Amino acid sequence: MAVPLSASILSPNKLSSLPSPQTSTPFFTTRFALPHNRNRRDHNSRKFNRIFAIKDYGPMELMNGCNYCPELKKWMEIGRKPFENAFAVIILFLQVTSPVPLTEHDSWLIPPAEAVLYSPETKIPRTGELALRRAIPANKDMKAIQDSLEDISYLLRIPQRKPFGTMEGNVKKALKIAVDEKEAILSSIPSEFRENGSVLYASLTDGKGGLKDLLQSINEKDSDKVSVGLASTLDTVAQLELLQAPGLSFLLPAQYLNYPRLTGRAVVEFAIEKGDGSTFSPEAAGQPRNTAILQVVVDGYSAPLTAGNFAKLVVDGAYDGVKLNCTDQAILSDSKLGKDKGYSVPLEIMPSGQFEPLYKTTLSVQDGELPVLPLSVYGAVVMAHNEASEEYSSPNQFFFYLYDKRNAGLGGLSFDEGQFSVFGYTTTGRETLSQIKTGDVIRSAKLIEGQDRLVLPKERDMILVFDITRYHCC
């Protein structure tokens, strides 16, 4: 069985050893070690026995240091306190502003670190809906509207006093773009969908749940109304963007044209039953359920081959009756379907900011590479790795990823981020995922939307597609 998640291992060789305990050193000290030569101790003492002094009257003259001790001591006592205070302030300032530790006088030169950790953007999608919306290859004006509105969702997370003034500015900016660029927005929609697009546009600008309603909620400073209105407005934005993207925005490599592909979005509905005859928890004010319904939006914009292979398997009924296996991090479909069902699709990941997916290549999150469809979302739908090579996905085994930030790494990202082909998200029934146990069964899986976007290779071309990881023909 293909293992869906790679193990995270700490290598002892990469752990830096700590120095042996030594005598503790104060945070800072006013005593400094001076270069010292034992053979010249007496000479230095004699030399220091003569110091310069200035009398209140007359010129400077040499005086014996030993005879001048009372005056010297008095002078030092007067100046000592201000000196120590000033020195403490200087040391404290350096300690706060400088990365160089000041607790060891012999540690001024710090060797470079062997590894650098990258802190990813805090605005990485944290829900399937947000990730799917950002993945739509739509008109730049609609993307500008979307970006302006999505910023409000982050402003709403600020506790106590919300920055309603900034939110108002964001909505006015989005409304101005929508009004000024109306022609460009509607002309980006294919003619057969333009009538529907005009209705959605009017709803976005002037309709209930549109930008003007959202602006009114912000002026009332009602956070709950703003949150509800924002969700409605962003949903309208996503519908308009989908009309602007009837197909793929890039050309697939020629060697992959013999694979099934999904040229847009599709929706798969799973009916899950308990393997032991028990029931799922009831929905709000409902009865316990014998069957739980999950809906998954499959994204062909970012992973056309992976999504196409999965959609074809669903249409062929390959997952009907398949048992599920659970781990702490994932719900896996049974791997006993066999290699004769499905295609060994190459690992397919679209990096954020790029226009086409990468194949057979993982992403380096430490270097700032992030996928358009992140794994670090609860309910992400992912293909497992192929047993023969991690450059390919399994022909048919998939899993639901149960993201938990308590088990995540830097920036809240999964340790396996950028290592798997994510191709969709659970949008309905997410709360049921935690109730699924090993032995539960997929009673049925149906493609309820998007079958018209599933492109199948011709029969003569399908014969040419072998298990690449086995025969190494490409």
Side-chain angles (χ1 to χ4, degrees):
M1 181 179 71
V3 180
L5 299 179
S6 57
S8 299
I9 301 174
L10 291 176
S11 172
N13 297 330
K14 294 184 179 180
L15 297 178
S16 57
S17 58
L18 297 175
S20 58
Q22 298 177 354
T23 305
S24 60
T25 306
F27 179 74
F28 64 85
T29 175
T30 55
R31 298 184 180 183
F32 294 90
L34 297 174
H36 186 63
N37 188 329
R38 291 185 179 180
N39 297 330
R40 302 184 62 185
R41 178 183 300 172
D42 295 338
H43 174 74
N44 290 338
S45 299
R46 290 193 298 271
K47 185 176 181 180
F48 187 70
N49 200 34
R50 307 285 296 179
I51 64 172
F52 284 105
I54 301 178
K55 291 185 178 181
D56 294 336
Y57 56 90
M60 177 171 58
E61 65 179 46
L62 290 173
M63 298 186 63
N64 189 292
C66 296
N67 298 333
Y68 194 67
C69 279
E71 287 79 8
L72 179 62
K73 183 176 181 181
K74 181 179 180 180
W75 176 82
M76 290 181 65
E77 287 294 332
I78 295 174
R80 178 180 177 182
K81 196 66 177 179
F83 174 79
E84 287 185 347
N85 291 340
F87 189 78
V89 171
I90 293 172
I91 295 297
L92 185 59
F93 176 79
L94 291 175
Q95 184 72 8
V96 171
T97 60
S98 173
V100 179
L102 299 178
T103 56
E104 296 288 344
H105 303 314
D106 57 351
S107 307
W108 294 100
L109 296 177
I110 306 300
E114 293 183 359
V116 177
L117 294 178
Y118 171 78
S119 181
E121 295 180 6
T122 57
K123 292 186 178 181
I124 186 173
R126 294 302 187 185
T127 66
E129 290 80 4
L130 178 54
L132 289 167
R133 188 165 58 242
R134 290 187 179 179
I136 304 171
N139 169 278
K140 64 179 181 64
D141 298 312
M142 288 305 302
K143 284 301 180 186
I145 294 172
Q146 177 184 323
D147 292 342
S148 184
L149 294 176
E150 285 179 353
D151 283 342
I152 298 176
S153 63
Y154 294 98
L155 296 174
L156 284 170
R157 298 178 188 175
I158 298 175
Q160 298 177 350
R161 298 184 64 180
K162 310 290 185 185
F164 289 105
T166 305
M167 297 182 197
E168 181 181 5
N170 283 13
V171 176
K172 287 182 176 179
K173 176 184 175 182
L175 187 57
K176 185 178 187 305
I177 295 172
V179 173
D180 293 349
E181 304 299 334
K182 176 180 179 179
E183 184 177 351
I185 291 172
L186 293 178
S187 63
S188 298
I189 301 174
S191 56
E192 61 267 31
F193 304 130
R194 198 162 293 164
E195 183 178 352
N196 188 20
S198 298
V199 174
L200 287 171
Y201 175 84
S203 176
L204 175 65
T205 54
D206 301 307
K208 185 178 180 180
L211 290 169
K212 291 183 179 179
D213 272 7
L214 180 58
L215 195 58
Q216 179 63 32
S217 299
I218 291 174
N219 290 331
E220 294 173 3
K221 298 185 178 180
D222 188 328
S223 299
D224 293 335
K225 287 182 66 175
V226 172
S227 181
V228 172
L230 179 63
S232 174
T233 305
L234 283 171
D235 183 60
T236 303
V237 169
Q239 292 181 57
L240 264 172
E241 290 179 339
L242 286 172
L243 292 180
Q244 293 177 336
L248 300 183
S249 60
F250 54 89
L251 297 176
L252 285 170
Q255 65 266 35
Y256 300 139
L257 294 179
N258 292 334
Y259 290 88
R261 57 189 180 274
L262 187 67
T263 60
R265 292 276 167 84
V267 178
V268 174
E269 184 175 274
F270 291 94
I272 312 292
E273 292 183 355
K274 283 290 185 181
D276 57 4
S278 60
T279 58
F280 290 97
S281 299
E283 295 178 338
Q287 298 295 323
R289 300 166 293 160
N290 295 322
T291 302
I293 301 298
L294 306 177
Q295 285 189 359
V296 170
V297 174
V298 180
D299 183 50
Y301 294 126
S302 302
L305 300 184
T306 309
N309 179 52
F310 180 79
K312 184 180 185 303
L313 286 166
V314 170
V315 171
D316 292 343
Y319 295 117
D320 295 348
V322 169
K323 290 185 178 181
L324 298 172
N325 300 295
C326 299
T327 69
D328 292 338
Q329 293 180 276
I331 302 170
L332 296 88
S333 66
D334 202 331
S335 62
K336 296 180 181 179
L337 284 178
K339 294 183 179 181
D340 58 325
K341 291 187 177 181
Y343 292 72
S344 290
V345 176
L347 187 70
E348 185 178 39
I349 305 174
M350 180 177 285
S352 181
Q354 300 298 316
F355 299 99
E356 59 185 359
L358 298 178
Y359 291 97
K360 303 183 187 179
T361 303
T362 59
L363 301 185
S364 175
V365 174
Q366 289 80 5
D367 293 330
E369 294 180 332
L370 296 173
V372 171
L373 301 180
L375 176 68
S376 306
V377 173
Y378 189 84
V381 187
V382 193
M383 290 306 293
H385 282 160
N386 195 293
E387 292 180 349
S389 171
E390 292 190 354
E391 290 186 350
Y392 292 85
S393 294
S394 168
N396 46 60
Q397 188 183 27
F398 74 97
F399 62 93
F400 297 95
Y401 186 65
L402 308 179
Y403 169 76
D404 187 342
K405 63 181 180 182
R406 294 172 298 181
N407 299 324
L410 184 69
L413 294 179
S414 166
F415 290 108
D416 293 288
E417 190 66 77
Q419 307 300 305
F420 289 86
S421 295
V422 180
F423 63 92
Y425 296 96
T426 309
T427 55
T428 301
R430 261 193 306 258
E431 68 284 352
T432 305
L433 292 174
S434 61
Q435 302 177 43
I436 297 176
K437 307 298 179 184
T438 296
D440 292 351
V441 179
I442 299 175
R443 183 54 54 204
S444 66
K446 298 178 181 179
L447 191 67
I448 61 174
E449 290 182 26
Q451 188 158 354
D452 57 323
R453 301 181 185 93
L454 177 59
V455 179
L456 300 176
K458 297 178 182 179
E459 185 176 353
R460 62 183 178 85
D461 293 332
M462 293 175 64
I463 300 175
L464 300 176
V465 181
F466 296 98
D467 185 341
I468 299 177
T469 61
R470 182 176 178 184
Y471 295 99
H472 304 285
C473 63
C474 296

